[in-house]
Amino acid sequence: MRLGVLDVGSNTVHLLVVDAHPGARPLPAHSHKAELRLAELLDERGAIAPDGVERLIGTVREALQAAEDKGCEEVLPFATSAVREATNADAVLARVKDETGVDLQVLTGEEEARLTFLAARRWFGWSAGKLLLLDIGGGSLEVAYGIDEDPDTAVSLPLGAGRLTSGWLPGDPADSADVKALRRHLRAQIARTVGEFSRFGRPDHVVATSKTFKQLARIAGAPGSGDGLYVQRVLSRKSLEEWVPRLAAMTVPERAALPGVSEGRAPQLLAGALVAEGAMDLLGVEELEICPWALREGVILRRLDHLPEE
């Protein structure tokens, strides 16, 4: 069957269309993406501004049309931290449903982490042993650990690259005092959760998902997307520690000129690098491997698991 998964995230609204059936890997058929940056469209009360709501409704309509054009039998719509934490979330969700017919399911941070973990487990398989997963989104950082498909523990922290950039790094290039303050803040947040994971022992394999980690691995020398989906891509803490001060000294246009870094993501790359560095350091990770599958694939896999057998 052809499924669409509609991901209303903090940075983008992304429709992923796949051909899938139980027991087989989902095959991407189409991708429709719009950079909405909901996390940056909040007013002083933490509500999504009227203009942001209108843009969201228009973007959802466009995604639905794309899903229909591509022959999707079902669309799985969900929203993450930007909508979840908006003070007017209920009103926004009602407007979207009234005007588009889409009932956005708001995932909790823990659900995000668990579904992303499922995708990583399916990608790497049982031979990967105990997995530690890291995912940096626009609004939050997810960490999960376990040996099965459902992790033993999963947490979500408000340490997304977009959120931190808008709240802590207003300058271009970033002010060194702001960078130090952000580094101190995020490390204190991460340190509170370390005990949740250390009690389970060292993982056999550490993996990371998200555009942020992919871009950090790319600028640190990992193969580009043109080399294919199945090429191993790794990121070491040593390389990351060398890149953080370089990124801090760059302007946004200079970051956008780096290999694999998009213009839209360049402003957030420094904050994302600081989160990645802090998480790897405090969790004792020397090297991690990039996983091509993430939350959207986890949502699809969970749906396939609940389809009746033919």
Side-chain angles (χ1 to χ4, degrees):
M1 66 185 302
R2 177 158 284 194
L3 289 174
V5 57
L6 180 58
D7 174 2
V8 177
S10 298
N11 286 316
T12 61
V13 176
H14 189 172
L15 172 74
L16 176 65
V17 177
V18 299
D19 291 319
H21 62 271
R25 64 185 178 92
L27 295 174
H30 178 70
S31 178
H32 177 87
K33 189 185 303 184
E35 286 199 354
L36 200 56
R37 301 198 178 282
L38 281 178
E40 299 174 13
L41 298 176
L42 303 179
D43 62 22
E44 64 278 358
R45 298 175 292 109
I48 299 175
D51 176 60
V53 177
E54 295 300 328
R55 289 169 58 187
L56 173 60
I57 290 169
T59 304
V60 169
R61 283 198 184 110
E62 292 173 4
L64 285 178
Q65 186 61 56
E68 180 182 319
D69 292 345
K70 296 301 177 182
C72 288
E73 297 179 43
E74 183 180 356
V75 175
L76 310 172
F78 68 89
T80 55
S81 62
V83 174
R84 180 171 68 236
E85 297 171 13
T87 56
N88 61 338
D90 290 342
V92 171
L93 293 169
R95 279 280 313 277
V96 171
K97 185 174 182 179
D98 287 345
E99 301 200 27
T100 70
V102 171
D103 187 9
L104 282 175
Q105 300 300 304
V106 179
L107 299 179
T108 67
E110 182 177 333
E111 286 172 333
E112 281 190 60
R114 289 183 177 278
L115 287 166
T116 306
F117 185 91
L118 170 64
R121 169 59 74 195
R122 294 279 178 93
W123 180 268
F124 288 105
W126 299 113
S127 63
K130 292 179 287 186
L131 277 183
L132 174 64
L133 167 86
L134 305 175
D135 179 279
I136 301 171
S140 58
L141 162 70
E142 275 71 49
V143 187
Y145 178 102
I147 195 167
D148 297 318
E149 290 197 337
D150 190 40
D152 295 312
T153 187
V155 299
S156 178
L157 302 173
L159 299 176
R163 177 202 298 269
L164 297 179
T165 299
S166 60
W168 292 80
L169 301 176
D172 185 26
D175 183 270
S176 60
D178 290 338
V179 174
K180 289 178 181 177
L182 174 56
R183 183 180 187 276
R184 194 161 51 244
H185 165 73
L186 66 87
R187 282 175 174 254
Q189 292 281 315
I190 295 169
R192 294 175 185 171
T193 69
V194 169
E196 278 283 313
F197 300 92
S198 60
R199 65 192 178 95
F200 290 102
R202 295 196 62 82
D204 298 310
H205 200 50
V206 183
V207 301
T209 67
S210 76
K211 195 71 170 179
T212 293
F213 271 115
K214 290 176 183 176
Q215 292 184 343
L216 291 172
R218 180 72 182 95
I219 66 173
S225 58
D227 291 329
L229 195 62
Y230 301 103
V231 174
Q232 186 182 47
R233 295 172 173 87
V234 299
L235 174 65
S236 71
R237 192 169 87 206
K238 182 176 183 296
S239 294
L240 191 54
E241 289 171 345
E242 293 171 353
W243 267 101
V244 165
R246 296 170 65 180
L247 291 171
M250 290 180 176
T251 63
V252 169
E254 287 171 337
R255 287 183 219 145
L258 294 170
V261 179
S262 65
E263 183 178 346
R265 298 275 182 163
Q268 304 180 9
L269 191 60
L270 172 58
L274 288 166
V275 175
E277 180 193 38
M280 292 179 74
D281 185 12
L282 290 166
L283 291 166
V285 176
E286 296 298 328
E287 184 178 88
L288 54 77
E289 184 172 358
I290 304 301
C291 178
W293 281 2
L295 178 58
R296 284 181 290 274
E297 287 78 11
V299 170
I300 292 167
L301 291 167
R302 179 60 53 81
R303 177 70 183 94
L304 293 176
D305 287 347
H306 288 86
L307 284 177
E309 294 186 9
E310 296 181 358

